Amino acid sequence: LKLLEPNMSHFSRIKTSIREIDLLKKSLVNLNLVWEEKEQMIEGYQGETHKVNLVIHQKNNIDIGFEKTKDNNYQLVADLAFWDQSTSVDAFLDSLHKEYALTTVLEETKKQGFEQISQTTNQQNGEVVVIVEKWNN
């Protein structure tokens, strides 16, 4: 256990594999999360602030957000002591990564001229099966 120094940041930065902001935004909408894309400061413990590129407002007014990293991924930034989502941080990120992967597949198949026929989710293991088709003219 490493103790935090008094002036050390209370913000956690959690790496993700998310690279495309538009797919992140669509994924958040699909998860019924309201977001705002603008560079702004979010506030944490004792008024500490951190700059993010996309904000998700929380009911407790201690917002969470995503910032673009040097390697062009987006990481979640939050003061976890004030996490106010309906699921844990791990469950939130699991759902987001799953939705982001699905959104990416659907967008890419659409770009290649495929049409989605069906989508089913296995309620036992969460596996998603998407069927697409493409007619050659």
Side-chain angles (χ1 to χ4, degrees), residues 52-70:
V52 295
N53 305 97
L54 184 145
V55 177
I56 299 170
H57 298 291
Q58 299 193 115
K59 291 177 187 170
N60 65 5
N61 293 321
I62 306 291
D63 300 330
I64 61 177
F66 287 88
E67 70 175 344
K68 193 169 191 173
T69 64
K70 292 175 190 162

Side-chain angles (χ1 to χ4, degrees), residues 30-46:
N30 292 343
L31 292 171
N32 297 315
L33 290 166
V34 178
W35 50 267
E36 184 179 5
E37 184 185 9
K38 72 175 190 179
E39 197 171 279
Q40 72 180 57
M41 303 300 277
I42 59 172
E43 197 170 314
Y45 180 70
Q46 293 186 339

